[in-house]
Amino acid sequence: MTSTRGRVAALLGTVAVVAGTTLATPAAATPDPGRRGGGVAGQAPCQGAPEYVCGTVDVPLDHSGATPGTLTLDVAMTGNADAPKGDLLFLTGGPGQPGVPFLGRLSTKLAPLLKDYRIVVYDQRGTGRHALDCPGLQQDMGSSDLAVPSRRSVADCAATLGPNARYYSTADTVEDIDVLRRDLGDKRLTIDGVSYGSFVAERYALAHPAHVNALVLDSVVPQQGYDPLDLVALPATARVLGAACRATGCTTDPAADLAATVRRYGNGAQILDALTSYEFADPNYGGVAEYLHEAAAGKPEKLRAFIDDVHTNDAAPAEALSQGLHAATLCADGVYPWGTADTPVEGRAADLAQTRAELAADPELTWPYDAATATGLGSLLVCEDWPRMPVPPAPPEHRKLPNVPVLLLGGDRDLSTPYEWLYREAASAHDPTIVIVPGAAHSVQNRAANPAGRQAVFDFLLA
């Protein structure tokens, strides 16, 4: 296996703009605010990639103004500032991924758009060279969403971030984007978001509907947020592995074998974690059906080696995917069995145990996994012990997206954001265009071998 199997590849792969590229030192010249993008400070050719323009935007730590301080966010743009349709803001995933290192890959993958759009990326607060760094949590989780960290790592991270952790929610990122929009000189943005980036795009559109031209939502997280129990991804595994099995000509029933394996070894959370990392390397999940079949028959050695190999290759530094930011954002945003981040820590374990018992009483909700899988995922357990903090306001659950063109893309092999989520979000759009790409896993535009998703984006945005 290679490192591309880790979730550091969850959005765009591990290709940076140019190997070794960093932001250029701010230029001495003062930006021209009358030029599109002129409000972005320190504009200069990106080091190692002079065809792109790099700069920075300053945003308040606390957009309410109650707590002083500013954060500097790195920005990168293609050089076509006079693009006739304006700026296309591309939002990366995680939460925890930067955006700037991926402009080169993006501009190659989306090259037909450059005649009409300037592509803009930025590093979300707490990512990239300004990443929130929690070494223990980073070592435990690497680039995984679901790996289970030690309680010590979670406690150390929370202590490192301190009370300012509350300022790394999606609501804060949404307001950062509006600062960026103003500094870019745009009345409206066209936004293309992948995975967590799709969620940010939706939340921005709900908060600032007058400032959105169109939305491309790829590998969709619905605007209500992700489900920490993964009650969509768990049953979707049967569909996804079945499709992969048919495509590769396997003769077993991987869903039934998975269910038998989980019953026998109680390792559902580890299997789901491995599968949602492995999809980035192989949307056909090659070998998985065999490993599950043997494990179900009492020979788990190949499955255990597979899980260990994937976990080893999930390693990633904070600047590639910040687990500190990941924890702070998910814990601020999420709705858990115990409630939200303002629920007292002391009662959370009992609420989680009650949820486990309720799920165990209705095993169809989690099949081919079990209740222990749903309540034993790392993204949930990180927040069980996360310190109590205020919760940012969220839009009403059933509020519609603004009446702008919306394209939703999904892959039929995606376990990270199963296409069932896409259809849920489509119900919030006025007249959505939906494209499901056969054989594609997560991040359709940038990783799918099938070009149908990218072509759908070109047709949609160039119409």
Side-chain angles (χ1 to χ4, degrees), residues 16 20 36 55 61 63 113 138 140 162 176 185 233 298 310 330 349 356 361 377 384 390 394 416 439 446 453 459 462:
R36 180 184 290 159
L61 171 67
H63 284 275
L113 299 179
Q138 199 71 37
D140 288 353
D176 291 346
V310 172
L330 293 187
R356 186 180 303 113
L377 301 172
E384 181 186 3
S416 297
N446 301 292
D459 294 343
L462 297 176

Side-chain angles (χ1 to χ4, degrees), residues 82-105:
D82 58 349
K85 290 191 174 183
D87 288 329
L88 171 64
L89 176 64
F90 196 97
L91 300 176
T92 52
Q97 277 195 320
V100 168
F102 302 116
L103 180 58
R105 182 180 175 94

Side-chain angles (χ1 to χ4, degrees), residues 116-139:
D116 281 354
Y117 294 91
R118 177 174 64 169
I119 298 175
V120 179
V121 293
Y122 86 108
D123 290 351
Q124 175 189 332
R125 59 171 60 199
T127 72
R129 65 174 180 149
H130 302 293
L132 300 184
D133 191 7
C134 295
L137 194 62
Q138 199 71 37
Q139 181 174 355

Side-chain angles (χ1 to χ4, degrees), residues 188-189 191 198-215 217 223 395 398-408 425-432 460:
R188 296 182 183 87
L189 291 168
I191 305 178
S198 71
F199 176 67
V200 175
E202 294 152 11
R203 286 295 181 93
Y204 181 81
L206 292 169
H208 300 282
H211 298 312
V212 176
N213 278 321
L215 296 171
L217 307 175
Q223 65 192 51
H398 299 294
R399 184 175 168 192
K400 286 273 193 179
L401 292 171
N403 191 8
V404 299
V406 178
L407 170 65
L408 301 102
E425 183 58 30
S428 298
H430 289 268
D431 186 21
F460 177 77

Side-chain angles (χ1 to χ4, degrees), residues 38 49 88 124 165 226 244 256 264 294 339 346 380-381 394 399 411 449 454:
L88 171 64
Q124 175 189 332
Y226 91 109
R264 187 164 191 159
E294 291 192 7
E346 294 74 18
L380 183 153
L381 296 180
R399 184 175 168 192
R454 287 182 291 277

Side-chain angles (χ1 to χ4, degrees), residues 109 283 437-454:
K109 290 285 187 180
V437 179
H442 201 61
S443 187
V444 171
Q445 294 170 84
N446 301 292
R447 299 193 62 81
N450 186 333
R454 287 182 291 277

